[in-house]
Amino acid sequence: MDIQNFLQFDDLTFTYPPVEGDIDADGKQIVPSPVFEHFSASLPGGFVSLVGQNGCGKSTLMLLASGRLQPDSGSVQLLEQNPALLGDEAKNLLASVVYQNMEFESEDKVSELLSQVYQYGTYKGKASGIRSSQDLLSEVIDVFELSNVLEHGLTHLSKGEIQRVLLAFAVLYGSASIFMDEPLFAMEDRQKESALAYLRDFVHKTGTTIYISMHEIDLSKKYADTVLLFYPNRDMALGTPAEVLTDADLEKAYGIPAALLKKKEDMTREQLQGEADLLAKTASN
């Protein structure tokens, strides 16, 4: 399969259903606008970062691509298959999904769950690491710093520990593609860097494709092969980080000066707008 034609959308339209009880000031049911309308695109494989404001369609695109959502009309082809038409096992082997802020109630030990995922997926419990001759399971435990939590149940893990376990699950299952929605949530900065470096190596050495959304633009610039930048009007720009993540394009995508984007994770939208207004006032004086 040509890496440049990894994912195809053909005249796709998708709208979330109305939420019961979600009414406007006149008491009328609010009907959501389409997230995608007659959308067509040919997207590449590799290590692809999705960048843009919350609510711009990043998560929805990944859920449609992986077959977890079905379009209202049009079609999706992932590695020349329509994932929405596959059974659960075939769909999971084609595309794994790491959802944003996942929660678990399992008391099973992390070590047991890692082994189960490794056994039931593509590798059937047998694969070499991508950086050394050690087994992939051992390598993943080291890379994602899981040694100290192997005997813990998932309900006893911190948010950051859960995210690292989820990354390990995604690698060990061995799907042909992995879609990750804000998977670095609550992880320390050094852990984010280590995880992204490993995931990029994993993509390059195994041929797996990973689509990942994350807030940190600097990390996309450093690690992504390709960036898909989402604009508020649903337009997109596709290219290398250097081509797409320019100050002008980022300001168009986020609606704030590029100088403020580094603060975006730690500030509310209102705070950011206040700083933007202050910058504009200062520049005019």
Side-chain angles (χ1 to χ4, degrees):
M1 180 67 187
D2 183 355
I3 192 173
Q4 294 302 318
N5 297 309
F6 160 78
L7 176 60
Q8 302 278 340
F9 294 96
D10 184 19
D11 196 28
L12 181 144
T13 294
F14 176 80
T15 307
Y16 284 103
V19 177
E20 186 177 354
D22 192 5
I23 58 177
D24 62 20
D26 296 324
K28 296 181 180 179
Q29 174 70 54
I30 296 175
V31 178
S33 300
V35 181
F36 296 105
E37 192 166 17
H38 300 294
F39 173 63
S40 296
S42 178
L43 302 178
F47 195 40
V48 182
S49 177
L50 280 62
V51 177
Q53 295 186 50
N54 289 337
C56 67
K58 303 189 300 296
S59 300
T60 303
L61 183 142
M62 290 193 286
L63 293 175
L64 288 164
S66 61
R68 273 55 177 188
L69 290 176
Q70 295 194 39
D72 303 327
S73 62
S75 65
V76 178
Q77 290 286 308
L78 176 65
L79 291 170
E80 299 182 340
Q81 299 185 72
N82 184 340
L85 300 181
L86 300 176
D88 288 344
E89 183 177 1
K91 184 185 296 182
N92 290 335
L93 289 172
L94 178 65
S96 293
V97 179
V98 177
Y99 298 93
Q100 186 175 9
N101 202 16
M102 295 174 72
E103 295 184 358
F104 300 90
E105 297 181 358
S106 174
E107 291 291 341
D108 291 344
K109 294 180 179 178
V110 171
S111 59
E112 297 170 354
L113 294 170
L114 290 172
S115 295
Q116 289 172 13
V117 170
Y118 192 28
Q119 289 287 340
Y120 294 155
T122 299
Y123 300 124
K124 305 303 179 187
K126 296 180 180 179
S128 297
I130 63 166
R131 290 180 172 175
S132 66
S133 59
Q134 66 177 322
D135 185 81
L136 181 62
L137 176 58
S138 298
E139 182 174 88
V140 165
I141 289 172
D142 289 342
V143 168
F144 296 121
E145 301 179 16
L146 300 178
S147 297
N148 292 335
V149 301
L150 291 177
E151 299 307 305
H152 297 178
L154 288 181
T155 56
H156 300 286
L157 301 184
S158 69
K159 290 287 189 180
E161 289 167 344
I162 288 175
Q163 294 308 117
R164 302 202 310 273
V165 170
L166 290 174
L167 293 176
F169 285 167
V171 169
L172 291 171
Y173 192 73
S175 299
S177 59
I178 306 171
F179 295 86
M180 299 182 169
D181 193 2
E182 302 294 347
L184 306 180
F185 172 73
M187 290 169 57
E188 298 176 13
D189 287 345
R190 63 173 183 78
Q191 292 170 335
K192 293 177 182 181
E193 296 260 0
S194 175
L196 288 170
Y198 186 78
L199 292 173
R200 183 181 60 186
D201 288 350
F202 185 78
V203 166
H204 294 168
K205 293 184 180 181
T206 67
T208 305
T209 280
I210 292 179
Y211 272 51
I212 180 171
S213 68
M214 51 186 171
H215 286 301
E216 298 91 335
I217 293 169
D218 284 347
L219 294 181
S220 290
K221 290 180 177 180
K222 185 173 181 179
Y223 292 103
D225 297 327
T226 305
V227 171
L228 184 60
L229 180 63
F230 289 67
Y231 298 117
N233 65 355
R234 308 298 188 195
D235 286 344
M236 303 175 197
L238 178 71
T240 66
E243 291 170 338
V244 173
L245 298 180
T246 65
D247 285 354
D249 282 322
L250 288 170
E251 289 179 9
K252 178 182 174 183
Y254 285 91
I256 58 175
L260 294 180
L261 286 175
K262 287 183 179 294
K263 302 180 181 180
K264 184 169 173 55
E265 274 197 302
D266 302 320
M267 299 176 67
T268 66
R269 188 72 187 169
E270 291 75 17
Q271 288 173 320
L272 281 168
Q273 188 59 54
E275 290 226 2
D277 292 344
L278 181 59
L279 276 178
K281 183 178 180 179
T282 301
S284 65
N285 290 337

Short mmCIF file of all heavy atoms in Angstrom, two decimals, residues 228-256:
data_model
loop_
_atom_site.label_atom_id
_atom_site.label_comp_id
_atom_site.label_asym_id
_atom_site.label_seq_id
_atom_site.Cartn_x
_atom_site.Cartn_y
_atom_site.Cartn_z
N LEU A 228 -1.29 17.56 10.06
CA LEU A 228 -2.58 17.94 9.51
C LEU A 228 -3.13 19.03 10.41
O LEU A 228 -3.51 18.78 11.55
CB LEU A 228 -3.52 16.74 9.47
CG LEU A 228 -4.90 16.95 8.83
CD1 LEU A 228 -4.76 17.39 7.37
CD2 LEU A 228 -5.74 15.68 8.92
N LEU A 229 -3.12 20.26 9.90
CA LEU A 229 -3.53 21.43 10.68
C LEU A 229 -4.97 21.77 10.35
O LEU A 229 -5.34 21.98 9.20
CB LEU A 229 -2.62 22.61 10.36
CG LEU A 229 -2.91 23.92 11.10
CD1 LEU A 229 -2.73 23.76 12.60
CD2 LEU A 229 -2.01 25.04 10.57
N PHE A 230 -5.81 21.85 11.40
CA PHE A 230 -7.24 22.11 11.24
C PHE A 230 -7.52 23.59 11.50
O PHE A 230 -7.13 24.14 12.54
CB PHE A 230 -8.04 21.29 12.25
CG PHE A 230 -8.09 19.82 11.97
CD1 PHE A 230 -6.94 19.03 12.06
CD2 PHE A 230 -9.28 19.20 11.64
CE1 PHE A 230 -6.98 17.67 11.81
CE2 PHE A 230 -9.34 17.83 11.39
CZ PHE A 230 -8.18 17.07 11.48
N TYR A 231 -8.25 24.21 10.59
CA TYR A 231 -8.70 25.59 10.76
C TYR A 231 -10.14 25.59 11.28
O TYR A 231 -10.88 24.62 11.10
CB TYR A 231 -8.61 26.35 9.44
CG TYR A 231 -7.20 26.45 8.89
CD1 TYR A 231 -6.87 25.87 7.67
CD2 TYR A 231 -6.20 27.10 9.60
CE1 TYR A 231 -5.59 25.95 7.16
CE2 TYR A 231 -4.91 27.19 9.10
CZ TYR A 231 -4.61 26.61 7.88
OH TYR A 231 -3.34 26.69 7.39
N PRO A 232 -10.57 26.68 11.91
CA PRO A 232 -11.93 26.72 12.48
C PRO A 232 -13.04 26.51 11.46
O PRO A 232 -14.12 26.04 11.80
CB PRO A 232 -12.01 28.12 13.10
CG PRO A 232 -10.59 28.48 13.41
CD PRO A 232 -9.79 27.87 12.30
N ASN A 233 -12.80 26.87 10.19
CA ASN A 233 -13.83 26.71 9.16
C ASN A 233 -13.82 25.33 8.53
O ASN A 233 -14.47 25.09 7.51
CB ASN A 233 -13.65 27.77 8.08
CG ASN A 233 -12.35 27.61 7.31
OD1 ASN A 233 -11.52 26.76 7.65
ND2 ASN A 233 -12.16 28.41 6.28
N ARG A 234 -13.08 24.38 9.12
CA ARG A 234 -12.97 22.99 8.67
C ARG A 234 -12.00 22.80 7.51
O ARG A 234 -11.81 21.67 7.04
CB ARG A 234 -14.33 22.37 8.28
CG ARG A 234 -15.41 22.51 9.34
CD ARG A 234 -15.06 21.80 10.63
NE ARG A 234 -16.19 21.80 11.55
CZ ARG A 234 -16.11 21.51 12.84
NH1 ARG A 234 -14.95 21.18 13.35
NH2 ARG A 234 -17.18 21.54 13.61
N ASP A 235 -11.40 23.88 7.00
CA ASP A 235 -10.30 23.70 6.06
C ASP A 235 -9.13 23.08 6.78
O ASP A 235 -9.02 23.15 8.02
CB ASP A 235 -9.88 25.04 5.45
CG ASP A 235 -10.88 25.55 4.43
OD1 ASP A 235 -11.72 24.75 3.98
OD2 ASP A 235 -10.82 26.74 4.09
N MET A 236 -8.22 22.47 6.02
CA MET A 236 -7.04 21.85 6.60
C MET A 236 -5.82 22.12 5.74
O MET A 236 -5.94 22.36 4.53
CB MET A 236 -7.24 20.32 6.71
CG MET A 236 -8.44 19.89 7.51
SD MET A 236 -8.65 18.09 7.44
CE MET A 236 -10.35 17.96 8.01
N ALA A 237 -4.67 22.06 6.38
CA ALA A 237 -3.40 22.15 5.66
C ALA A 237 -2.59 20.91 5.99
O ALA A 237 -2.51 20.50 7.16
CB ALA A 237 -2.64 23.41 6.06
N LEU A 238 -1.98 20.31 4.99
CA LEU A 238 -1.22 19.08 5.17
C LEU A 238 0.20 19.29 4.65
O LEU A 238 0.39 19.81 3.55
CB LEU A 238 -1.88 17.94 4.40
CG LEU A 238 -1.19 16.58 4.42
CD1 LEU A 238 -1.31 15.94 5.82
CD2 LEU A 238 -1.78 15.64 3.37
N GLY A 239 1.19 18.89 5.46
CA GLY A 239 2.57 19.02 5.02
C GLY A 239 3.52 18.67 6.13
O GLY A 239 3.13 18.14 7.18
N THR A 240 4.79 18.96 5.93
CA THR A 240 5.77 18.75 6.98
C THR A 240 5.55 19.79 8.07
O THR A 240 4.91 20.82 7.84
CB THR A 240 7.19 18.89 6.43
OG1 THR A 240 7.40 20.25 6.03
CG2 THR A 240 7.42 17.96 5.25
N PRO A 241 6.09 19.57 9.28
CA PRO A 241 5.96 20.59 10.32
C PRO A 241 6.47 21.96 9.88
O PRO A 241 5.84 22.98 10.18
CB PRO A 241 6.80 20.02 11.47
CG PRO A 241 6.72 18.54 11.29
CD PRO A 241 6.73 18.32 9.79
N ALA A 242 7.58 21.98 9.15
CA ALA A 242 8.13 23.26 8.70
C ALA A 242 7.20 23.97 7.72
O ALA A 242 7.10 25.20 7.71
CB ALA A 242 9.51 23.05 8.06
N GLU A 243 6.50 23.20 6.90
CA GLU A 243 5.60 23.78 5.90
C GLU A 243 4.30 24.28 6.51
O GLU A 243 3.76 25.31 6.09
CB GLU A 243 5.27 22.72 4.84
CG GLU A 243 6.45 22.35 3.95
CD GLU A 243 6.16 21.14 3.09
OE1 GLU A 243 5.25 20.35 3.44
OE2 GLU A 243 6.84 20.97 2.07
N VAL A 244 3.80 23.57 7.51
CA VAL A 244 2.45 23.82 8.00
C VAL A 244 2.41 24.64 9.29
O VAL A 244 1.52 25.47 9.48
CB VAL A 244 1.71 22.48 8.21
CG1 VAL A 244 0.36 22.69 8.88
CG2 VAL A 244 1.53 21.77 6.87
N LEU A 245 3.35 24.42 10.17
CA LEU A 245 3.30 25.06 11.49
C LEU A 245 4.05 26.40 11.49
O LEU A 245 4.89 26.67 12.34
CB LEU A 245 3.86 24.12 12.56
CG LEU A 245 3.09 22.80 12.72
CD1 LEU A 245 3.72 21.93 13.80
CD2 LEU A 245 1.62 23.07 13.02
N THR A 246 3.71 27.23 10.53
CA THR A 246 4.27 28.58 10.49
C THR A 246 3.46 29.47 11.43
O THR A 246 2.32 29.16 11.79
CB THR A 246 4.20 29.15 9.07
OG1 THR A 246 2.82 29.31 8.70
CG2 THR A 246 4.89 28.22 8.07
N ASP A 247 4.04 30.60 11.81
CA ASP A 247 3.32 31.52 12.69
C ASP A 247 2.00 31.96 12.05
O ASP A 247 0.97 32.03 12.72
CB ASP A 247 4.18 32.75 13.00
CG ASP A 247 5.29 32.44 14.00
OD1 ASP A 247 5.32 31.31 14.53
OD2 ASP A 247 6.12 33.33 14.24
N ALA A 248 2.03 32.25 10.76
CA ALA A 248 0.83 32.72 10.08
C ALA A 248 -0.27 31.67 10.08
O ALA A 248 -1.44 31.97 10.35
CB ALA A 248 1.17 33.14 8.65
N ASP A 249 0.10 30.42 9.80
CA ASP A 249 -0.90 29.35 9.76
C ASP A 249 -1.42 29.03 11.16
O ASP A 249 -2.61 28.74 11.33
CB ASP A 249 -0.30 28.10 9.12
CG ASP A 249 -0.24 28.19 7.61
OD1 ASP A 249 -1.18 28.75 7.02
OD2 ASP A 249 0.74 27.70 7.02
N LEU A 250 -0.55 29.07 12.16
CA LEU A 250 -0.99 28.80 13.52
C LEU A 250 -1.95 29.89 14.03
O LEU A 250 -2.93 29.61 14.72
CB LEU A 250 0.21 28.67 14.45
CG LEU A 250 1.04 27.39 14.26
CD1 LEU A 250 2.34 27.48 15.05
CD2 LEU A 250 0.24 26.16 14.69
N GLU A 251 -1.65 31.13 13.69
CA GLU A 251 -2.55 32.22 14.09
C GLU A 251 -3.91 32.08 13.40
O GLU A 251 -4.96 32.34 14.01
CB GLU A 251 -1.91 33.57 13.75
CG GLU A 251 -0.72 33.89 14.66
CD GLU A 251 -0.06 35.22 14.33
OE1 GLU A 251 -0.62 35.96 13.51
OE2 GLU A 251 1.00 35.51 14.91
N LYS A 252 -3.91 31.62 12.17
CA LYS A 252 -5.16 31.38 11.45
C LYS A 252 -5.94 30.24 12.10
O LYS A 252 -7.17 30.30 12.22
CB LYS A 252 -4.87 31.05 9.99
CG LYS A 252 -6.10 30.74 9.15
CD LYS A 252 -5.70 30.38 7.72
CE LYS A 252 -6.91 29.93 6.91
NZ LYS A 252 -6.52 29.53 5.53
N ALA A 253 -5.23 29.21 12.55
CA ALA A 253 -5.89 28.04 13.12
C ALA A 253 -6.41 28.30 14.53
O ALA A 253 -7.48 27.81 14.90
CB ALA A 253 -4.91 26.86 13.16
N TYR A 254 -5.67 29.08 15.32
CA TYR A 254 -6.03 29.27 16.73
C TYR A 254 -6.68 30.62 17.02
O TYR A 254 -7.25 30.82 18.09
CB TYR A 254 -4.79 29.09 17.61
CG TYR A 254 -4.37 27.66 17.76
CD1 TYR A 254 -3.46 27.09 16.88
CD2 TYR A 254 -4.89 26.85 18.77
CE1 TYR A 254 -3.07 25.76 16.99
CE2 TYR A 254 -4.51 25.53 18.90
CZ TYR A 254 -3.60 24.99 18.01
OH TYR A 254 -3.22 23.67 18.13
N GLY A 255 -6.55 31.56 16.10
CA GLY A 255 -7.18 32.85 16.30
C GLY A 255 -6.51 33.73 17.33
O GLY A 255 -7.12 34.68 17.83
N ILE A 256 -5.28 33.42 17.67
CA ILE A 256 -4.52 34.22 18.62
C ILE A 256 -3.09 34.36 18.10
O ILE A 256 -2.64 33.55 17.29
CB ILE A 256 -4.49 33.59 20.04
CG1 ILE A 256 -3.89 32.18 19.99
CG2 ILE A 256 -5.87 33.58 20.66
CD1 ILE A 256 -3.72 31.55 21.36
#
